[in-house]
Amino acid sequence: MSHRLALRDLVDVVRPARPVASVYLGSSPLRVWRARWLRLADQLRSDGAGPELVDTIGEVLQRARSLYPAADTLVAFAGEELPARVFHTPGLRHLDLAWFSSPAHVLPVLSWLQDRPPRVAVTAGHSSADLAAGDERISLNYPAPEWRHGVRSAAAACAEMLDRQEARLLVVAGEDEVVGALWEALPAPSAATSPSGGPAAP
């Protein structure tokens, strides 16, 4: 199961020339899993999906659902040329739907992804800096008289987080003097995240 959906994942999903099963299992706690899945499986079979593929996608969805019972919408893709994969998409509200088609039905997930570009958010001050990206959080504390050294450490941590998260958007907030020093301390590729050379807009 993938926790962090990236654009390259969707490229992999739409690449196969043969049909792909696309299943959206929405958050519907009032209906039992089995009844929901039987309807989706029937739809896949009526679209031409084979029994083995239907069983595979049912198994990965059920496993993901048991691991993440409170997930908003689980999205699964599988095909002859595509190993089964499931994505948790927090905030995506979708009905239970299934398709077996070429290309895969990715438009709802693509729209969800475009609304949530991978980003790193930094709040920097004279005595601390907090960095956040996805589920990752880093807090740095430093003596106020040595804040410039602390900000350089924060800039290095920020560049590493941008790389780890494969994020292209950096949002920085805080006191003007500190924010300016942080931007100046960023390595060149990270500083290029902001085309104007200043703080990127949220």
Side-chain angles (χ1 to χ4, degrees):
M1 172 154 183
S2 173
H3 296 278
R4 187 182 62 191
L5 177 65
L7 189 58
R8 67 175 180 279
D9 295 313
L10 296 187
V11 172
D12 291 341
V13 165
V14 299
R15 182 175 288 137
R18 296 185 181 181
V20 170
S22 309
V23 178
Y24 289 72
L25 183 68
S27 53
S28 181
L30 300 180
R31 298 184 60 198
V32 297
W33 153 256
R34 180 150 182 79
R36 297 169 68 189
W37 170 242
L38 288 176
R39 191 176 67 79
L40 294 169
D42 285 344
Q43 181 60 55
L44 290 174
R45 283 190 287 269
S46 71
D47 286 349
E52 187 175 334
L53 178 61
V54 173
D55 289 346
T56 297
I57 204 162
E59 288 169 9
V60 297
L61 266 174
Q62 186 170 23
R63 190 161 53 246
R65 186 179 168 278
S66 64
L67 287 172
Y68 301 94
D72 291 337
T73 296
L74 295 172
V75 185
F77 300 100
E80 288 183 29
E81 303 171 20
L82 180 71
R85 57 190 67 189
V86 184
F87 300 103
H88 175 206
T89 51
L92 174 63
R93 303 293 180 185
H94 208 286
L95 300 173
D96 289 356
L97 292 173
W99 295 264
F100 184 63
S101 60
S102 181
H105 186 69
V106 299
L107 289 180
V109 180
L110 181 60
S111 176
W112 175 86
L113 185 62
Q114 288 174 332
D115 287 341
R116 294 162 177 80
R119 63 187 178 272
V120 172
V122 182
T123 304
H126 282 98
S127 60
S128 66
D130 295 310
L131 293 75
D135 294 331
E136 185 178 2
R137 301 283 186 275
I138 297 176
S139 292
L140 302 173
N141 296 296
Y142 37 83
E146 301 174 20
W147 70 268
R148 289 189 181 277
H149 178 72
V151 165
R152 284 194 291 275
S153 297
C158 184
E160 292 171 5
M161 187 178 279
L162 282 164
D163 185 56
R164 274 195 308 277
Q165 297 286 337
E166 299 178 359
R168 297 178 55 86
L169 178 63
L170 174 60
V171 182
V172 182
E175 301 163 66
D176 290 346
E177 180 182 36
V178 179
V179 169
L182 189 142
W183 277 104
E184 290 175 6
L186 283 169
S190 301
T193 303
S194 170
S196 64

